[in-house]
Each structure stands twice: as structure tokens, then as C-alpha cells.
Amino acid sequence: MNLLVKVSVRYGLLAGIFGCVLIFGFYYLGPHPFVIPVYMDFRIILFALFIFFALREIRDYYQNGVLYFWQGIFTSFLFTITYAALSSLILVLFMRIEPAFLTDYIRLSIQQLKSLPPEVIERIGNEVYNRNLELLPATNTFDLGFLYFSQSFMISLFISIILSVILRRQPKT
């Protein structure tokens, strides 16, 4: 069990630092990282790579080619907790230093909402649309940090299940 914790935390810390570098890179060089749709989020590839290598390391180097499904899910969960906590904390600290990150997010999100076609607004509901428009200006650094934290778990869930199934190996009897 200690081995699972050690490997998943190590990979989570590495991924968290790398993820923050990507967030800052997107912010300064390209589109704001929080207005990119979740299905195109860089964390999908980042999580897939880091979880894959963490599970493979545990299976191949420490457990003689054996990895149970529960070990894969547990390792992935610890990886995600480590990644999400570290990157969200760094993100909140960054927004304290660079307040334009938050104001740019609010401005771009309002623009994005206002540019939605009437059919989409009707589908999500006028009430939800108006509530989101009203709440966006009140968004603070902790709201954005929590959004990033929770999205990390949503993204990681599917990747964790898939990789835990693919990489699992039972001992041969």
C-alpha cells in the first residue's frame, strides 16, 4: 500500500507542476485555459500519460507484472488528489499575484455566454443562462480554484477506469 501512495504522489506532483506550466503557457501565449471546452482540455492527455506510467511502473517494477483493478483505481485517485490539490493551490496563488487572470476569465466567459445562439440558450434554459450571467462577475480566485479541482476529478475518473482495466494483470495460477 505504501508503494502505491509513494508512486502516485510522485507522479501527481510532477504532473501538477507540469500542468501549472501549461496553464501559464496557455494564459500568456494562447487562449485563456479556462474558456477552452473541457472535452479539449490538456488534462485529458496529461492524465492519460502520467497515470499510464504510474500504473505501469507499479505493475512492472514493483509487483512482478501483477496489477489488480483496485490498485489501479486507488493509484489513479491518489494521483488525482495530489495533482488537483497542488495545481489548484498554485493557481489560487498565481491569481493573487496576477489578478488579470481572473478578470480575463470573467470577461471571456461573459462574452462566450452572450454569443450562444438562442437554440442553445433555450436548451439549457433561460433561468440557468441568466443565473450564470449574474453569478460570473462575483467569481473569485477560490471559485476558480475549486472549479479546476473538481474538473480534474471528472476528467480523471474515465481515464482511471480505462487505464486500470487495460493495465491490470492477475497473477497466473
Side-chain angles (χ1 to χ4, degrees):
M1 186 71 87
N2 189 25
L3 172 70
L4 299 177
V5 173
K6 188 170 103 177
V7 171
S8 56
V9 167
R10 180 170 25 100
Y11 277 93
L13 291 172
L14 289 171
I17 292 167
F18 189 65
C20 288
V21 168
L22 288 173
I23 289 172
F24 304 147
F26 276 125
Y27 176 66
Y28 287 117
L29 301 174
H32 195 288
F34 278 67
V35 295
I36 298 171
V38 175
Y39 59 85
M40 293 179 60
D41 198 308
F42 69 86
R43 287 175 286 185
I44 295 170
I45 295 169
L46 184 74
F47 287 1
L49 287 172
F50 277 88
I51 291 172
F52 173 82
F53 286 114
L55 295 180
R56 201 181 86 187
E57 179 179 325
I58 290 169
R59 183 191 71 191
D60 295 346
Y61 296 109
Y62 299 112
Q63 298 191 160
N64 298 321
V66 175
L67 181 74
Y68 294 100
F69 177 76
W70 73 266
Q71 291 172 322
I73 292 295
F74 182 75
T75 300
S76 301
F77 181 70
L78 287 179
F79 164 85
T80 306
I81 287 175
T82 306
Y83 173 87
L86 177 65
S87 56
S88 296
L89 176 66
I90 291 172
L91 186 62
V92 167
L93 293 174
F94 175 72
M95 286 186 278
R96 296 284 189 189
I97 296 167
E98 182 72 56
F101 187 91
L102 179 61
T103 56
D104 288 346
Y105 164 75
I106 293 169
R107 180 180 48 79
L108 292 168
S109 294
I110 289 172
Q111 285 176 355
Q112 202 172 43
L113 273 176
K114 287 184 176 180
S115 70
L116 290 175
E119 307 85 55
V120 174
I121 295 171
E122 188 177 306
R123 199 172 341 137
I124 61 173
N126 251 343
E127 196 174 292
V128 172
Y129 173 78
N130 288 329
R131 184 172 41 94
N132 286 340
L133 267 178
E134 289 172 11
L135 291 177
L136 263 172
T139 303
N140 62 38
T141 58
F142 295 108
D143 294 335
L144 218 50
F146 183 74
L147 174 68
Y148 192 79
F149 186 87
S150 59
Q151 283 178 345
S152 295
F153 279 94
M154 288 187 286
I155 292 169
S156 175
L157 175 66
F158 299 106
I159 294 168
S160 299
I161 292 170
I162 292 167
L163 289 176
S164 294
V165 167
I166 291 172
L167 292 172
R168 78 168 192 248
R169 284 200 199 138
Q170 305 286 332
K172 295 181 179 165
T173 55

